[in-house]
Amino acid sequence: MEKKIILTGDRPTGRLHIGHYFGSLKKRIELQESGEYTPYILIADVQALTDNFNNPEKVRNNVREVAMDYLACGIDPNKTTIYIQSMIPEVAELTVFYSNLVTIARLERNPTVKTEIAQKREIFGESVTYGFLGYPVSQAADITIFEGKYVPVGEDQLPLIEQCREIVRKFNSIYGEVLTEPEAILSSGKRIKGLDGNEKMGKSLGNAIYLSDSEEEITKKVMSAVTDPNRIKKDDLGNPNVCMVAYYHNLFSTKEEIETVCEECKAGKRGCVACKKQLAKNISDTLKPIREKRAYYEQHPEEVDRILQEGTQKARKTAKETMKKIKKAMKLDYFE
Ligand code: ATP
Ligand code: MG
């Protein structure tokens, strides 16, 4: 039986952080290693431009950064096709075809888009661009051009998959059963909070530990983490439930260590500085293999470029085949 296609991706607007790792990368690697699927990962530079159109340098530079993060984490180019979105013109073409199949009102009602527009007031002011409002349409093109069957996503992304399914059904009802209707796989990954106590670690929130951070950078960030505000002196009794250091120990330390740290904190026997140093070491040790693998690719940019080029060529070939079927169905197959 032919393996089902899985599509995932990231916008190249910065390097990837611990939140991305626990939120989606781990799951992608697990799916890749299961051998049950044909995974594609897109580096969504066109989508990144929708709210970074005035900063092409940033998008350009982060394409390779994100690719190196993928490779360093264990995305294997022999098993997963990594490609650059803008290099697949069929996706842009398909986005135009799909734009007739979705109303402006429907896009404006999309909960994910609505939340994001509200967050991006400083970029868009009162009126959002056509491109940003339409990014779910372009995402539907990303998924369907590869006849993607499964899309692993977080809960916040579900409305985008629903939008894609609606477009597919509409297309198929008008032009014939050509497109595959995708299904979301809810990734079990959790939302990682920030060291500053923010509900989310995020690039633009300035609270991220990047997969590529050095031991020194990690230590510096951990040292600034928010701890129990009522604990001022070392022998004050602490409450690990309100401490971000304890929260991160739960992600990076052994069970025994977590127990010891929490007990000693509650008894006022362990100072926050010692606790933070131990955490910084554990985070750094956990990320060490990723950092080392990444350092290799940083020294071999030509290898990263070759992987991106080969992945993109492979993806383009598939996209061309699907586009041929789509154009035939839409009676746009004039000549070769
Ligand atoms: P920005 O601050 O610019 O929005 P970000 O750090 O939130 O950047 P995005 O590129 O918006 O990163 O994240 C894309 C996807 O990565 C999210 O949809 C989510 O699946 C995952 N992700 C990001 N941050 C976290 C986090 N803290 N915990 C879990 N998953 C995350
Ligand atoms: Mg975000």
Side-chain angles (χ1 to χ4, degrees):
M1 208 179 83
E2 210 180 319
K3 289 181 187 174
K4 296 272 190 265
I5 290 169
I6 289 195
L7 191 103
T8 58
D10 289 283
R11 295 153 25 100
T13 54
R15 290 172 292 148
L16 301 181
H17 53 67
I18 291 176
H20 295 119
Y21 186 69
F22 287 103
S24 57
L25 286 168
K26 266 180 91 166
K27 178 81 178 179
R28 293 178 195 173
I29 292 160
E30 197 184 298
L31 293 166
Q32 167 191 282
E33 292 308 319
S34 78
E36 288 175 35
Y37 307 96
T38 302
Y40 282 80
I41 290 195
L42 82 151
I43 303 183
D45 57 345
V46 178
Q47 195 181 314
L49 284 170
T50 58
D51 55 346
N52 290 279
F53 51 86
N54 53 4
N55 206 345
E57 283 289 312
K58 172 176 155 189
V59 174
R60 167 76 185 219
N61 295 335
N62 280 306
V63 168
R64 200 193 270 151
E65 295 292 334
V66 170
M68 290 194 293
D69 285 328
Y70 286 159
L71 296 167
C73 280
I75 297 291
D76 177 348
N78 295 313
K79 299 176 182 161
T80 297
T81 305
I82 312 174
Y83 71 95
I84 303 174
Q85 187 187 29
S86 63
M87 296 302 287
I88 315 288
E90 286 74 17
V91 169
E93 207 177 356
L94 191 53
T95 304
V96 174
F97 299 160
Y98 286 172
S99 65
N100 296 323
L101 308 179
V102 54
T103 66
I104 293 164
R106 175 68 181 87
L107 289 169
E108 283 172 341
R109 270 202 320 271
N110 187 307
T112 310
V113 179
K114 231 169 147 172
T115 313
E116 285 173 347
I117 291 175
Q119 286 165 353
K120 291 179 195 292
R121 283 258 180 266
E122 76 281 8
I123 302 171
F124 295 124
E126 283 311 303
S127 181
V128 71
T129 61
Y130 168 62
F132 190 83
L133 184 65
Y135 93 72
V137 183
S138 138
Q139 204 173 82
D142 288 322
I143 298 167
T144 52
I145 199 77
F146 299 109
E147 307 186 75
K149 184 63 194 161
Y150 297 118
V151 189
V153 288
E155 203 141 355
D156 56 327
Q157 305 284 304
L158 285 176
L160 299 174
I161 306 304
E162 194 43 46
Q163 186 89 69
C164 175
R165 289 163 61 90
E166 279 175 32
I167 291 173
V168 166
R169 288 198 291 266
K170 183 114 191 203
F171 183 102
N172 285 348
S173 74
I174 299 171
Y175 305 111
E177 292 290 322
V178 173
L179 301 174
T180 305
E181 193 170 326
E183 282 168 43
I185 306 183
L186 253 194
S187 93
S188 53
K190 53 177 162 181
R191 168 148 293 197
I192 304 299
K193 295 183 191 181
L195 287 165
D196 55 357
N198 194 303
E199 275 309 302
K200 182 181 174 293
M201 172 180 284
K203 288 185 288 256
S204 51
L205 299 166
N207 61 5
I209 294 181
Y210 294 96
L211 298 174
S212 47
D213 276 350
S214 67
E215 193 166 353
E216 293 72 43
E217 284 167 313
I218 294 170
T219 307
K220 205 169 143 217
K221 287 177 183 178
V222 171
M223 285 300 161
S224 73
V226 169
T227 53
D228 178 358
N230 293 322
R231 197 172 181 217
I232 294 149
K233 298 191 303 300
K234 183 183 162 187
D235 46 12
D236 288 341
L237 309 188
N239 177 5
N241 292 332
V242 295
C243 173
M244 293 321 292
V245 181
Y247 171 86
Y248 274 86
H249 267 298
N250 278 304
L251 296 169
F252 289 97
S253 306
T254 63
K255 214 166 154 243
E256 295 77 56
E257 259 181 309
I258 298 163
E259 269 169 30
T260 313
V261 163
C262 290
E263 285 316 311
E264 290 184 3
C265 170
K266 283 193 262 186
K269 285 185 188 152
R270 171 184 292 255
C272 293
V273 172
C275 192
K276 285 174 170 176
K277 279 191 177 150
Q278 190 175 345
L279 172 65
K281 182 176 183 310
N282 291 352
I283 297 180
S284 182
D285 287 352
T286 309
L287 298 182
K288 196 168 174 229
I290 297 178
R291 216 161 41 232
E292 285 176 353
K293 208 166 166 198
R294 201 180 193 280
Y296 168 84
Y297 287 109
E298 283 164 13
Q299 283 148 21
H300 297 85
E302 70 293 341
E303 204 166 315
V304 180
D305 289 349
R306 183 185 52 78
I307 290 168
L308 284 174
Q309 202 177 342
E310 284 177 7
T312 302
Q313 273 163 359
K314 190 172 159 221
R316 177 93 203 268
K317 195 166 166 274
T318 312
K320 276 185 173 171
E321 284 163 18
T322 314
M323 185 46 89
K324 218 172 169 175
K325 288 192 253 178
I326 288 170
K327 283 195 159 172
K328 185 162 188 277
M330 293 181 73
K331 308 207 180 300
L332 298 170
D333 56 336
Y334 301 106
F335 31 76
E336 281 296 303

